[in-house]
Amino acid sequence: MNRSTAVAVKAAASTKKRRSFLSRWDAPIAGYLFILPWLLGFFGLTAYPMFLSLYYSFTDYTLMEPISWVGFHNYERIFTADAKFLQSVKITFFYVLASVPLKLVAALLVAVLLNKAMRGISAYRTAIYFPSLIGGSIAVSLLWRNIFGIDGIFNEILAKFGIQGIGWITNPSTALWTLILLTVWQFGSSMVIFLAGLKQIPSDLYEASGVDGANRFVQFFKITLPMLSPTLYFNLIMGVINAFQMFTSAYVITNGGPMNSTYVYAMYLYERAFSRYQLGYSSALAWIMLIMIVIVAAIIAGTSKYWVFYETDAGGKKSK
């Protein structure tokens, strides 16, 4: 190899090395450019407002006066001198504990019923899922208020059976249950996720258990539920998060009444922020809500090792 050839080979190798080095950065830069709209939205509409509200939670911010730093005074006041805070927390936890399990049970049972090959099954699935698309709207909340009013359709149906109806949304003992029923009625999204999980369960398991004499009741609790536990876990977490943030139906249907029986946490936060303009105090309430949701989700995640089973499990224990 002469000198000129050696120089050419060396130059080509150097150029190839530079291209290889630059190619490592070409793909990430292109990727960041593609996700740039999401990054701008996340930092501008999520991260920045969150940290700004965290700062406001340590201030006395009322829109009418200059912002003043008060430290942990808002949090101390919430936990020691705010009776409405404790009341709203109790109502919210009762709502979560009642609505989430009922919604999951309804979604799972309907998903099992719709997990069949029959004519028109897609139309049934669409019809049952449709209420979830409009269930959280103001229009549906107004309709729900009319249905369970003193002169509503529900009382008219009861009257045909000789039962005297009541004002379901004006009675403190039943008002919250009407909101819970509305939430349970919106089980379509959870149902679709359960249905997708049911499709992943091998039919061989049911055939083998049927040969061994297992009936459908045993198959449901010994095969369906264990195999569906990751899906149940996901729906449970999402249901709890959504239930803690429930606002529209309580605000439109009952406005927190009667006698504050439906005064959920989100309504109290809204009142402090947009009725009393206590933005610093409401920011503290918002972060307390976040902490409560995180704690509950962490508890569910911590207990999941005892009832959630994956394909990598062996002998009922998580594989290491």
Side-chain angles (χ1 to χ4, degrees):
M1 181 183 296
N2 55 29
R3 184 176 180 181
S4 60
T5 304
V7 171
V9 172
K10 186 176 181 180
S14 178
T15 302
K16 183 177 180 181
K17 184 177 182 181
R18 286 198 302 269
R19 288 179 179 176
S20 178
F21 176 77
L22 293 175
S23 64
R24 296 181 181 180
W25 298 97
D26 289 343
I29 291 176
Y32 286 131
L33 289 176
F34 277 115
I35 67 173
L36 182 61
W38 181 88
L39 289 175
L40 293 176
F42 173 75
F43 287 107
L45 301 177
T46 303
Y48 175 72
M50 281 185 62
F51 286 107
L52 191 61
S53 70
L54 180 61
Y55 166 72
Y56 286 154
S57 69
F58 296 103
T59 64
D60 184 13
Y61 181 29
T62 62
L63 282 181
M64 306 299 178
E65 299 176 359
I67 300 176
S68 59
W69 181 268
V70 294
F72 288 93
H73 176 71
N74 287 332
Y75 294 95
E76 180 182 356
R77 182 181 168 192
I78 289 172
F79 287 107
T80 61
D82 194 340
K84 278 193 172 183
F85 164 75
L86 295 177
Q87 181 185 16
S88 63
V89 168
K90 290 179 182 178
I91 294 173
T92 302
F93 269 93
F94 179 83
Y95 172 82
V96 172
L97 292 175
S99 64
V100 174
L102 290 175
K103 183 177 180 179
L104 291 179
V105 170
L108 178 57
L109 292 180
V110 175
V112 171
L113 293 176
L114 294 180
N115 189 32
K116 300 180 183 296
M118 56 181 293
R119 178 179 297 179
I121 192 66
S122 298
Y124 287 114
R125 293 170 182 169
T126 303
I128 293 175
Y129 174 72
F130 184 73
S132 295
L133 298 177
I134 61 173
S137 66
I138 295 177
V140 171
S141 298
L142 292 173
L143 178 63
W144 207 259
R145 186 173 66 182
N146 292 331
I147 290 175
F148 289 95
I150 188 66
D151 298 324
I153 298 175
F154 187 71
N155 281 342
E156 292 182 4
I157 296 175
L158 293 179
K160 294 184 180 297
F161 294 93
I163 301 175
Q164 181 65 35
I166 63 174
W168 300 95
I169 61 175
T170 58
N171 190 323
S173 61
T174 58
L176 186 59
W177 284 103
T178 62
L179 304 184
I180 293 172
L181 183 61
L182 175 58
T183 302
V184 175
W185 179 65
Q186 303 169 27
F187 63 81
S189 298
S190 300
M191 179 207 68
V192 170
I193 297 174
F194 275 132
L195 192 58
L198 289 170
K199 295 294 184 182
Q200 302 302 316
I201 301 177
S203 59
D204 297 344
L205 298 177
Y206 296 103
E207 295 174 359
S209 63
V211 172
D212 292 337
N215 54 34
R216 294 197 174 186
F217 182 82
V218 175
Q219 289 177 341
F220 179 78
F221 284 98
K222 297 295 184 180
I223 299 176
T224 304
L225 277 184
M227 295 292 292
L228 208 60
S229 57
T231 307
L232 177 61
Y233 174 57
F234 173 80
N235 278 334
L236 177 60
I237 291 290
M238 298 304 298
V240 167
I241 293 174
N242 292 330
F244 267 104
Q245 301 177 76
M246 192 274 287
F247 170 77
T248 303
S249 56
Y251 182 76
V252 175
I253 297 175
T254 62
N255 196 26
M259 299 175 62
N260 292 332
S261 60
T262 60
Y263 198 67
V264 292
Y265 194 92
M267 275 204 65
Y268 182 47
L269 193 156
Y270 174 85
E271 178 190 337
R272 286 284 186 174
F274 301 104
S275 296
R276 305 186 187 183
Y277 302 106
Q278 298 174 347
L279 300 185
Y281 196 86
S282 62
S283 295
L285 289 172
W287 277 92
I288 291 174
M289 173 188 281
L290 174 62
I291 293 172
M292 289 192 299
I293 294 175
V294 169
I295 291 175
V296 174
I299 293 174
I300 296 174
T303 60
S304 64
K305 61 184 179 180
Y306 299 108
W307 58 275
V308 179
F309 306 97
Y310 299 96
E311 294 182 0
T312 56
D313 296 353
K317 297 181 179 180
K318 304 292 183 184
S319 61
K320 298 181 180 179

